[in-house]
Amino acid sequence: MFKKIEFLGFIAVLVIFTSSCSDYQKALKSEDVKIKYDMAESLYNEGKYTKANRLFEQIMPKYAGKPQGERVVYMYADAAYKDEDYYLAAYQFERFATSYPRSQKAQEAAFYSAKSSYMLSPKYSIDQTDTYEALDKLQNFINNYPDSEWLPEANEMVQELTLKIERKELEIAKNYSKTFHYKASIKSIDNFLVDYPGSELKEEALYVRLNASYELAINSYEYLVKDRLLQAQEAYQELIEDYPNTQFSEEATEINESIEKELSKRS
């Protein structure tokens, strides 16, 4: 008896599913915009965003300039975001904010356009073009909506993305040292310290500069060694003055002892 009930239940679900799919296919092929709209909205409300957007794509041009157009464009952008299609979401939310600047949803659209771009930001070791674009959008949002309820989240995303850019720059400097391009490493760190004076990576940057400065000195022609050792010693002093209890204390002390030893040979 129970097996029969289970079987009938399965058949009922299958019929409903088949009917639903059939209705969706009919809507896709229909020439009636209202049928497409109703089906798209229904699918959107059910969380079936990929299917909904196939229909929204078809009907958006038909609703351009009409009262329903605002709702269609918003649902299309929101469905893309919830479907994790962030490239599409970023573009469509931005389009919405530009097309409907007086809409009650304009601020929300501007935020989610920026957040979609944030979601596209890759790990720091990869090209950061998307990260810079996200930062630009987030900063524009912060400037345009300083009292927004989304301001704290926007600021957090800016901080996270900025740190990612800083890490990228610092790793470039470190890689210069690893490939024995010490001058380039030092120059990169100098630029880093100017561009990001308050970075939480500053301590590490100062240590990288110290190490690169020392390596440059001891691998120089003899007539350059003393001056470059003195520059390395200055780099050590800056690290210790800014960070008396630096996490790089052991390594930095060892480098400084080597600097003093090399200088004593040339006094």
Side-chain angles (χ1 to χ4, degrees):
M1 173 65 93
F2 289 114
K3 289 185 177 180
K4 184 176 181 181
I5 292 172
E6 288 178 359
F7 176 73
L8 291 173
F10 171 75
I11 293 298
V13 170
L14 184 61
V15 169
I16 293 170
F17 176 77
T18 304
S19 174
S20 175
C21 289
S22 176
D23 290 342
Y24 173 66
Q25 291 299 326
K26 287 179 181 178
L28 280 174
K29 297 174 183 178
S30 175
E31 298 296 325
D32 191 323
V33 177
K34 182 66 165 57
I35 289 175
K36 290 179 183 291
Y37 177 92
D38 290 342
M39 175 60 72
E41 185 174 33
S42 176
L43 290 167
Y44 171 83
N45 291 332
E46 292 172 13
K48 298 176 181 177
Y49 302 117
T50 302
K51 286 186 174 182
N53 267 1
R54 286 189 65 190
L55 290 164
F56 283 136
E57 285 172 359
Q58 292 182 352
I59 64 176
M60 269 202 306
K62 305 292 185 181
Y63 283 101
K66 296 181 180 179
Q68 303 97 320
E70 178 180 335
R71 180 169 174 77
V72 170
V73 175
Y74 179 83
M75 286 191 292
Y76 183 47
D78 191 51
Y81 179 83
K82 289 173 178 173
D83 207 30
E84 299 182 3
D85 187 347
Y86 296 120
Y87 278 111
L88 179 61
Y91 174 76
Q92 291 299 336
F93 272 126
E94 184 174 13
R95 176 187 176 193
F96 180 94
T98 301
S99 301
Y100 305 100
R102 297 181 180 179
S103 170
Q104 292 182 346
K105 293 283 190 180
Q107 181 183 149
E108 183 177 343
F111 173 74
Y112 277 101
S113 177
K115 187 171 182 178
S116 295
S117 294
Y118 159 83
M119 298 297 290
L120 292 168
S121 174
K123 59 184 180 179
Y124 74 83
S125 58
I126 296 176
D127 178 78
Q128 293 299 302
T129 299
D130 287 330
T131 302
Y132 283 111
E133 182 175 345
L135 278 169
D136 285 342
K137 283 189 174 183
L138 285 164
Q139 195 58 60
N140 286 335
F141 175 81
I142 291 168
N143 293 340
N144 292 331
Y145 303 100
D147 300 318
S148 172
E149 65 180 284
W150 291 290
L151 188 64
E153 187 176 355
N155 282 325
E156 286 180 8
M157 288 188 284
V158 166
Q159 290 175 6
E160 181 182 334
L161 295 180
T162 300
L163 181 59
K164 188 181 293 187
I165 295 294
E166 292 172 7
R167 172 54 68 185
K168 174 77 171 182
E169 296 299 319
L170 184 55
E171 290 302 315
I172 289 173
K174 290 167 72 174
N175 285 332
Y176 278 136
S177 279
K178 290 176 182 176
T179 55
F180 313 111
H181 294 87
Y182 303 118
K183 282 187 180 180
S185 180
I186 295 166
K187 181 64 176 177
S188 291
I189 294 297
D190 287 342
N191 291 337
F192 177 93
L193 295 171
V194 170
D195 293 338
Y196 310 106
S199 173
E200 64 181 72
L201 301 176
K202 182 179 178 181
E203 179 183 357
E204 185 177 354
L206 289 173
Y207 171 71
V208 171
R209 185 171 66 177
L210 164 61
N211 185 68
S213 297
Y214 172 70
E215 292 293 341
L216 176 63
I218 62 174
N219 287 285
S220 296
Y221 291 111
E222 182 58 34
Y223 73 94
L224 295 171
V225 173
K226 184 175 181 179
D227 285 344
R228 287 180 173 175
L229 284 170
L230 290 171
Q231 291 169 5
Q233 198 169 54
E234 289 177 4
Y236 170 78
Q237 290 299 328
E238 186 173 354
L239 171 62
I240 297 304
E241 287 173 8
D242 286 1
Y243 300 95
N245 299 311
T246 176
Q247 61 180 306
F248 303 103
S249 176
E250 184 176 345
E251 299 93 328
T253 299
E254 184 177 334
I255 291 173
N256 189 51
E257 289 174 352
S258 296
I259 291 171
E260 291 177 347
K261 183 179 179 180
E262 292 297 326
L263 282 172
S264 67
K265 296 178 183 178
R266 296 167 174 83
S267 58

